[in-house]
Amino acid sequence: MTGVRGLGARWRRRRPLRTRMALAASAAVALVAVGVCTAAFFVIRYELLHQLDLSLTQSATRIIQANRGEGPQIVAGECRYLSAPACAQIVPADPAADPAEPYLLPVSSPVREVAAGARAPYYSNVQRFGQPLRMLTTPFGDGQALQVALRADPVEKSVRQAAVLLAVVGAVGVLLAGLLGYAVSRTGLAPVARLTATAERIAATRDPRHRIELPPGPPGRQDEVTRLAASFNTMLGELEQSVTSQRRLVADASHELRTPLTALRTNAELLARGDRLTPAQRERASGALERGIREVTGLVNDLIELARDEEPLPLLEDVHIAGMTEHTVAVARAHWPHTPFLLEVEAGAAHEVRPGVPARLARLLTNLLDNAAKFSPTGTPVEVTLSAYGRGAGGAASGSGTNGSGSRTSAGGSGSRTSATGLRLTVRDHGPGIPAADLPHVFDRFYRAQSARALPGSGLGLAMARQIAHAHGAELTARAAPGGGALFTLTFAPEGESR
């Protein structure tokens, strides 16, 4: 039995889904059709026999009323003909009281028991005169029984005709079930077939611009298959966007690498003819070659970082945001000695931690600080503020001051880490700001405003910063600062809440 089930399972796995669905629908409809026909046959058979039994009961009642007090005898014996009345005979409980004339109907021991009152009336099927008879045996006074019989072959013929007719109806039902099953599977799987064809076309052409045509109608009234097709279209849209983004990244990276690689090749060729250069020329070419190598190395590293969508789980740990910010600001002060960096950490945010990769979060803030310092005039400060919001944020500081390193820390309450507290880190500069036309594109890869194209950089820093923010469940936004300059805001939502 296990082998048969295994063989059936292998056969089903090898059949197409449309075939299996058609077979399942056909089997279900066919089972219902056969079940209905079978039930109808037994109902018709029961009703025909019931009508014959009612006729026997009525005949027995008339004979009892017409022959009260009579002894054992044959009352009527013409039931051998279809139009004749029922055969009837009175049988005593004692065989010694039988009449001299032989009985027309068979007399058995159950008949004597009914006559003696030891058994209830009953119906039976007998053969007589070469024809099937339906017979009723019922009590007839004290110590006697009445047997009444009618021909049953018309009923049996009707039952056979009903069986043949219902068998034909069942066969037609099975055939229609097969046709309906095929139609249902074809219609129901049409969106799946289109989905499959679209997927195969995309696999063959590697072009994710193809879409599945959806039937008209509001989204809330679509069936499951249509919703699957809509989800597949959404996935194709995301895939197309991803492929387009990757192609754009490769094209932009190729464009950005062309200039520094050309400069590297030129300087390398100059250094290869070093005997024709003066010491000053060799020094300039060597310095230019070194700067070009650093630029290309930084650009390649940035591209590698951008290619990573998620943070590696083994490197995740609880990061003390205030401590990380202070360290990054200190490094920025050393890198940009002519730009003052002012750091303010509010009391409610001083002890907050968030899960993340410390080096990546530090890279995010470093990119923001470098961008702010690059656009800040010499001597103008870059303001960095770390604050908390939401329940448990602590509150405003009772007083603040500037420490020896140019950082301001709030005094009053240590704050506490709580899942209802969000963090907000802002970096504000006093440079020319971001033009309104450039504001929607500041986080695009390789995008550089017209005013920034003469400055060093590849246009990847802010794109990388937003990607790191998204990987850590934070949101990075940019806007024009009041009074001039640019304001970048990094928001960590309260733990347990989606941003």
Side-chain angles (χ1 to χ4, degrees):
M1 184 63 70
T2 303
V4 173
R5 287 198 297 266
L7 182 61
R10 288 194 299 272
W11 183 87
R12 287 193 299 271
R13 285 195 298 268
R14 294 174 181 174
R15 299 299 98 191
L17 177 60
R18 177 178 297 178
T19 302
R20 285 181 284 165
M21 187 173 178
L23 289 176
S26 302
V29 177
L31 184 63
V32 171
V34 171
V36 170
C37 291
T38 303
F41 169 76
F42 283 106
V43 170
I44 292 174
R45 179 175 178 273
Y46 170 79
E47 288 297 330
L48 290 175
L49 289 177
H50 182 62
Q51 291 297 325
L52 183 59
D53 292 343
L54 287 178
S55 298
L56 288 173
T57 302
Q58 293 172 358
S59 298
T61 302
R62 288 195 302 268
I63 293 173
I64 290 174
Q65 292 175 352
N67 297 275
R68 291 184 182 276
E70 297 290 338
Q73 60 178 308
I74 298 175
V75 179
E78 301 298 327
C79 61
R80 69 185 64 191
Y81 306 110
L82 287 176
S83 59
C87 293
Q89 61 187 25
I90 303 172
V91 180
D94 185 4
D98 287 341
E101 184 181 359
Y103 291 117
L104 292 176
L105 302 176
V107 178
S108 59
S109 57
V111 176
R112 306 288 185 182
E113 293 174 0
V114 171
R119 183 171 179 166
Y122 68 93
Y123 296 94
S124 59
N125 297 316
V126 297
Q127 288 284 335
R128 201 68 173 171
F129 316 118
Q131 301 292 339
L133 302 178
R134 181 74 169 172
M135 185 173 66
L136 167 64
T137 303
T138 185
F140 185 84
D142 294 334
Q144 298 182 118
L146 175 66
Q147 290 180 287
V148 183
L150 285 171
R151 284 184 59 172
D153 51 315
V155 173
E156 294 183 355
K157 182 179 179 181
S158 299
V159 170
R160 288 194 298 270
Q161 290 176 343
V164 173
L165 180 61
L166 290 175
V168 173
V169 172
V172 174
V174 171
L175 179 61
L176 289 177
L179 296 176
L180 290 176
Y182 175 76
V184 167
S185 65
R186 186 179 180 85
T187 303
L189 293 178
V192 178
R194 292 195 297 269
L195 187 150
T196 303
T198 303
E200 291 174 347
R201 191 182 310 117
I202 293 173
T205 62
R206 297 183 179 274
D207 184 2
R209 291 177 297 177
H210 300 286
R211 296 293 185 273
I212 301 174
E213 295 183 6
L214 301 178
R221 296 183 180 179
Q222 294 176 344
D223 56 24
E224 291 78 1
V225 178
T226 305
R227 290 202 300 270
L228 174 62
S231 300
F232 190 76
N233 282 344
T234 302
M235 183 188 68
L236 287 177
E238 297 292 336
L239 177 61
E240 180 183 3
Q241 183 178 358
S242 176
V243 171
T244 303
S245 178
Q246 289 180 2
R247 290 174 178 172
R248 186 184 302 116
L249 176 62
V250 172
D252 292 342
S254 301
H255 177 74
E256 292 294 330
L257 284 171
R258 185 179 294 113
T259 299
L261 288 176
T262 301
L264 285 176
R265 184 176 61 185
T266 302
N267 290 317
E269 291 175 353
L270 284 175
L271 290 175
R273 297 191 296 268
D275 54 339
R276 302 179 185 179
L277 302 177
T278 64
Q281 290 174 334
R282 282 197 301 270
E283 184 176 353
R284 285 197 302 271
S286 178
L289 182 63
E290 183 179 355
R291 289 192 299 273
I293 291 175
R294 285 200 304 268
E295 183 179 353
V296 171
T297 302
L299 180 59
V300 172
N301 288 337
D302 289 345
L303 289 173
I304 293 174
E305 293 290 339
L306 283 172
R308 179 167 54 189
D309 291 332
E310 298 180 354
E311 302 303 324
L313 293 179
L315 300 181
L316 289 179
E317 58 182 273
D318 285 341
V319 181
H320 185 221
I321 302 298
M324 183 271 297
T325 304
E326 292 174 358
H327 172 74
T328 308
V329 170
V331 174
R333 289 194 183 103
H335 187 67
W336 302 90
H338 300 293
T339 300
F341 288 87
L342 303 181
L343 173 63
E344 180 181 3
V345 179
E346 293 186 358
H351 298 278
E352 285 292 317
V353 296
R354 287 293 186 273
V357 181
R360 299 278 287 163
L361 289 174
R363 181 64 182 274
L364 184 159
L365 185 53
T366 297
N367 288 356
L368 295 181
L369 295 177
D370 288 346
N371 182 77
K374 183 168 59 175
F375 288 97
S376 296
T378 302
T380 57
V382 173
E383 301 171 5
V384 183
T385 303
L386 180 63
S387 60
Y389 69 93
R391 300 194 311 272
S398 60
S400 63
T402 304
N403 59 22
S405 60
S407 299
R408 291 178 294 176
T409 56
S410 301
S414 60
S416 60
R417 181 188 180 189
T418 170
S419 61
T421 302
L423 290 177
R424 184 175 291 114
L425 177 65
T426 60
V427 177
R428 188 257 171 90
D429 63 63
H430 294 270
I434 304 174
D438 295 327
L439 194 58
H441 306 287
V442 294
F443 295 107
D444 292 349
R445 296 169 179 175
F446 297 106
Y447 183 82
R448 304 184 73 186
Q450 185 69 31
S451 59
R453 292 177 183 175
L455 298 176
S458 61
L460 295 177
L462 293 180
M464 186 185 307
R466 170 168 278 190
Q467 178 173 300
I468 296 173
H470 284 177
H472 286 80
E475 183 68 25
L476 180 61
T477 59
R479 63 184 178 90
L487 178 64
F488 289 85
T489 304
L490 177 65
T491 304
F492 290 92
E495 291 185 86
E497 295 183 11
S498 59
R499 55 181 173 82

